[in-house]
Amino acid sequence: MSRRFFLLAGETSGDHLGAALMAGLKTLDPGVKFHGVGGVRMQAEGLESLFPMSELSVMGIAEVLPRYRMLKRRIDESARAVLSHDLDALITIDSPDFNLRVARRVRARSRLRMVHYVAPSVWAWRAGRAQRMAQTIDQVLGLFPFDEAPMRAAGMRCDFVGHPIAAHPPVDARTVRERRAALGLAPDQTALLVLPGSRQGEISRLGPVFAQTLRQMHAVRGDVRAIVPAAPGRLEQVRASLGDLPGHPIILPTEGQGAPDKRQLFAAADLALAASGTVSLELAAARVPTVIAYDMNWLSWQIISRMVKVDTVTLVNLIAESRTIPEFLGPECRPERIAPALTALIDDGTARAAQIEAMDLAMTRLGAGGPPPGLRAARAVLDGLDDAGGSGGWRPGAPASSSG
């Protein structure tokens, strides 16, 4: 009999993961059925979303509080929907503040198997989350090799399934040249990707900072041209938050008819200014030297900065065990600090080479060259159903048959 799953994703990155997992599950079980909440990619794989996923894309204490009643209503609605279906498992995808609340409500009334995709970063902060998760979650699918130990220590099965970004094939040189020409970039012109995040709050806070950074850069390096790919549904907000920029910036959507391929855009760039997050791995896959900058509400920063246990938040730095990518976080997220770092990265070939070396190492450690992570994740989910006491996961260098 084919399996039935309820999947919950709360933001764009989770939608990517959920879609790949769904594709993997359909490969292994062509009759599989899906219910849940997801974005455009999961819907393209056959999910009819219970409500718009965009309602859940909020981050930070100050940002969540005004929407608390709506979020609580959606938690209750999601839990009721899970309990109304005959399912094999509930699969929650990232967004733990929302998803794990749904899982706890379901657990209070059901012994349904619970799988959480994307291990919480307990190695960075709030270590107690693993023990609390273990009261509800049976299995965790980890994106990073260092996810496994703390999850298993807390009593959950944890499978390292690799990161989908590491599976992306490189963009060939001819396509890069064609993309740069289509953007109107001269062969010797410096193309700077500007990525102020995908959430509404991130763009509102980082957009003006990034815009002032570009103005300061342009005063020193007039040959730099900004390319600003806007997250789905955020094009007008990005334009408004950046304002008037010098140097004829290219602001364009990444979704919809006529939108350029995002990986091609990244590969066409010479360097990037990006918000902290998964985008740093996308830039690493494209081998784009990067500066990271991030800020948040004052109250959120005061709380979170006191809880973090690592000295860098950039994933490439952590995975490659290097500190080659500069960060400007919280009070340091200021144009007068960021602009010189970007300018230096243009001129310093040694710094660029060190970043690219760290990026290549990070991709290898995340599974580049191995079987697709979505398929590995799907196999881990099905293995978990068949063997509730099993453990282990695919590792770089292992044969594909070990995970599917």
Side-chain angles (χ1 to χ4, degrees), residues 61-81:
I61 297 168
E63 290 80 5
V64 168
L65 286 176
R67 304 177 70 178
Y68 173 77
R69 289 188 178 180
M70 180 276 292
L71 291 169
K72 186 176 184 301
R73 185 173 67 253
R74 291 307 195 191
I75 290 170
D76 293 339
E77 181 180 357
S78 299
R80 288 196 302 270

Side-chain angles (χ1 to χ4, degrees), residues 291-309:
V291 171
I292 296 294
Y294 200 82
D295 198 7
M296 60 184 67
N297 174 273
W298 182 87
L299 176 60
S300 299
W301 172 259
Q302 293 301 314
I303 294 172
I304 292 173
S305 63
R306 286 165 170 75
M307 299 173 69
V308 171
K309 302 188 297 182

Side-chain angles (χ1 to χ4, degrees), residues 65-306:
L65 286 176
R67 304 177 70 178
Y68 173 77
R69 289 188 178 180
M70 180 276 292
L71 291 169
K72 186 176 184 301
R73 185 173 67 253
R74 291 307 195 191
I75 290 170
D76 293 339
E77 181 180 357
S78 299
R80 288 196 302 270
V82 173
L83 292 166
S84 71
H85 292 288
D86 181 16
L87 303 168
D88 289 281
L90 166 63
I91 304 174
T92 54
I93 307 169
D94 210 1
S95 303
D97 290 333
F98 179 89
N99 281 333
L100 296 184
R101 284 177 169 84
V102 174
R104 285 194 290 270
R105 280 165 170 73
V106 173
R107 177 61 80 217
R109 297 180 57 186
S110 171
R111 295 307 302 172
L112 177 68
R113 184 168 180 80
M114 308 281 189
V115 180
H116 188 69
Y117 197 171
V118 183
S121 51
V122 296
W123 38 265
W125 70 310
R126 292 170 59 191
R129 286 176 292 172
Q131 286 72 32
R132 289 192 294 274
M133 276 184 62
Q135 298 172 15
T136 304
I137 299 298
D138 301 296
Q139 179 181 8
V140 178
L141 307 177
L143 303 184
F144 307 111
F146 41 72
D147 287 331
E148 291 181 316
M151 295 295 103
R152 291 177 178 176
M156 294 171 283
R157 168 173 172 155
C158 185
D159 297 85
F160 166 50
V161 298
H163 202 292
I165 289 172
H168 292 167
V171 179
D172 63 87
R174 178 179 176 179
T175 301
V176 170
R177 290 193 300 270
E178 292 173 348
R179 175 53 58 194
R180 285 180 63 92
L183 292 169
L185 294 167
D188 59 347
Q189 191 169 26
T190 300
L192 168 64
L193 274 175
V194 180
L195 303 160
S198 60
R199 301 181 182 90
Q200 181 177 353
E202 289 175 331
I203 296 168
S204 296
R205 188 169 297 276
L206 295 177
V209 176
F210 285 15
Q212 185 58 28
T213 298
L214 292 172
R215 295 186 187 100
Q216 292 186 16
M217 279 194 71
H218 197 262
V220 178
R221 295 291 300 259
D223 62 322
V224 174
R225 191 171 186 192
I227 303 174
V228 191
R234 303 297 186 195
L235 181 61
E236 295 307 316
Q237 186 193 3
V238 167
R239 285 176 173 158
S241 68
L242 291 175
D244 295 328
L245 293 175
H248 305 289
I250 304 166
I251 304 175
L252 69 177
T254 54
E255 295 283 346
Q257 186 175 5
D261 181 86
K262 187 178 179 182
R263 292 195 305 112
Q264 293 180 14
L265 275 181
F266 280 31
D270 298 292
L271 73 162
L273 168 61
S276 176
T278 306
V279 72
S280 68
L281 295 181
E282 295 180 83
L283 293 165
R287 308 178 88 217
V288 182
T290 298
V291 171
I292 296 294
Y294 200 82
D295 198 7
M296 60 184 67
N297 174 273
W298 182 87
L299 176 60
S300 299
W301 172 259
Q302 293 301 314
I303 294 172
I304 292 173
S305 63
R306 286 165 170 75

Side-chain angles (χ1 to χ4, degrees), residues 361-373:
L361 176 59
M363 290 299 104
T364 297
R365 290 181 172 177
L366 291 181

